[in-house]
Amino acid sequence: MRLTFNMQFAQSLNGILNTQKKMSIAEQQLTKQTRILSPADDPAASAKVLGLDQNLSQIEQFQTNSVLLKNGLALQETILTNMRVNFDRISQLAIASGNGTFTIAERQAVALELENIQTEFFDLMNTRDSDGGYIFAGFQDKSPAYELNATTGRYEFRGDDGSRRLQISPSISLSGRDSGKQIFDDVFGRFKPDNPVVISGTPDSVALRVNNQQIFDQFYREKYDSQNPANNLYSLQIDAGSNYQVLNNGAPLTPPVNGVFVSGEPIRFSGLELRVDGAAAAPGQIDFTLPTPEKRNILDTLNDFITALRDPSVTGVNFNEAIADVLVQTDNSARNVDNTLASIGGRVNVLDSVFSSNEDLIINNKGYKADISEVDFAAALTEIKRQEIALQAASTVFSKIGTTTLFDYLR
């Protein structure tokens, strides 16, 4: 085979170019810190790296969601904790106002402090987050959660019971907000019977009140029938011989409540006290019912109690009823807030646990990715140096071949 000058020149040039290419690849690997510059370098490893990158991206989004959730829960926890302190203050003021020595001025002072607490509650229940959304309004977070209806004088919830959830792992999603409807509105008011109605007989007066709230609450929960209103009807029947018995929808109670009627002497049963005055009450019948349970928010309950405090004509039994109403509602509302705070604490614990697990996954995945794709710095530097030496050698040979002529062969 005849070797021409052009062939020698091309072969030497290709050697230089190939060496330069290898050196450039080694430099790129070192610069980009990866040995896979294109899928063709290692198709199997390239596919694994792509999958790992997608997985890392997903986990990092979960971590971002976790941070957002934790910040939202921290804000909500701060608000509810502040409210919880005020619930205790409301109870203290309500109990103190029942002191028979309180003057009208002192009642007005209590009303003023409760009004300030009510205003603070209203502001807290309409708290916004950093994005301007009302945190207790559910999905309707562009509008205030609570508004005062000027016509009725009642505070009305304007949001919904929606709860925004964020994914923090492939199988776990948590809510960073709780609807105000569940926290503040889903609270029962004080259980108490309707006012008694005289069906027959002519008593001078009839009074029915809750004597033991705890016992009556238990009785109410056991006996109230939402399906058949007739089962909520109770009657005190007094015969001509002044014997009485209490009936439920016409049937005696179990155990029976009966005895001899004495005018003005209280009849007590199931946490209730029924007092009938007047000899003409016998024979006769007095009915009362267990009303439908009412759910109220603390703002309206405070409104009613403030009105009672500022009305000098509300005294005695009526004022005691107002105190009992606000104390029970405050206790129920505080319990609801406590339950929500407990729920927040549980969610924060889950967030911390999942966040830690995700961090471990990120470290493991990055380590696996490094094993598959990252360049060995020592090997890359050695390869660059080796190719640099090869390039110098090829360049030296090329320069000699390039200057060789026919006369060099004839000598």
Side-chain angles (χ1 to χ4, degrees), residues 42-234:
D42 190 337
S46 179
K48 289 181 180 178
V49 168
L50 181 62
L52 287 170
D53 284 339
Q54 291 175 341
N55 188 253
L56 282 169
S57 177
Q58 184 184 56
I59 295 175
E60 286 167 358
Q61 183 60 56
F62 288 153
Q63 298 299 75
T64 300
N65 290 350
S66 294
V67 172
L68 293 174
L69 281 173
K70 196 165 186 177
N71 289 339
L73 290 172
L75 174 61
Q76 186 171 297
E77 182 180 12
T78 300
I79 294 167
L80 295 180
T81 301
N82 290 338
M83 294 183 72
R84 187 62 182 82
V85 174
N86 279 332
F87 282 127
D88 293 336
R89 183 57 181 162
I90 293 170
S91 296
Q92 293 172 0
L93 291 172
I95 293 171
S97 67
N99 189 328
T101 63
F102 256 43
T103 64
I104 296 300
E106 287 173 319
R107 283 176 55 169
Q108 294 284 352
V110 171
L112 180 60
E113 184 173 351
L114 288 176
E115 192 172 54
N116 290 333
I117 291 175
Q118 181 191 42
T119 301
E120 183 180 355
F121 274 178
F122 182 65
D123 290 341
L124 290 174
M125 290 156 77
N126 281 327
T127 299
R128 296 188 182 193
D129 60 17
S130 58
D131 296 324
Y134 292 89
I135 67 173
F136 294 119
F139 293 138
Q140 311 301 320
D141 61 353
K142 301 305 179 185
S143 303
Y146 282 87
E147 292 180 354
L148 176 62
N149 188 322
T151 303
T152 63
R154 294 297 178 185
Y155 291 88
E156 298 177 352
F157 180 68
R158 298 296 191 183
D160 58 32
D161 56 2
S163 178
R164 299 182 184 277
R165 304 177 72 87
L166 289 177
Q167 204 79 18
I168 61 171
S169 79
S171 59
I172 300 176
S173 65
L174 293 177
S175 172
R177 296 181 182 179
D178 293 281
S179 169
K181 181 177 178 61
Q182 298 171 349
I183 304 174
F184 310 120
D185 267 39
D186 194 16
V187 181
F188 284 114
R190 184 166 75 102
F191 295 148
K192 54 185 178 180
D194 281 337
N195 292 326
V197 178
V198 177
I199 304 301
S200 61
T202 53
D204 296 333
S205 65
V206 178
L208 176 64
R209 71 182 187 89
V210 177
N211 182 50
N212 187 311
Q213 191 68 53
Q214 186 176 0
I215 294 176
F216 178 71
D217 287 351
Q218 182 178 354
F219 170 78
Y220 183 94
R221 291 189 176 95
E222 290 176 356
K223 299 299 182 182
Y224 177 75
D225 190 341
S226 60
Q227 304 299 319
N228 187 0
N231 289 333
N232 298 320
L233 176 64
Y234 291 80

Side-chain angles (χ1 to χ4, degrees), residues 59 62-64 66-67 70 168-169 172 347-365:
I59 295 175
F62 288 153
Q63 298 299 75
T64 300
S66 294
V67 172
K70 196 165 186 177
I168 61 171
S169 79
I172 300 176
R347 277 175 278 173
V348 170
N349 288 338
V350 172
L351 275 172
D352 289 341
S353 177
V354 174
F355 190 90
S356 178
S357 297
N358 285 343
E359 284 295 301
D360 290 340
L361 287 174
I362 289 174
I363 293 172
N364 290 337
N365 284 352

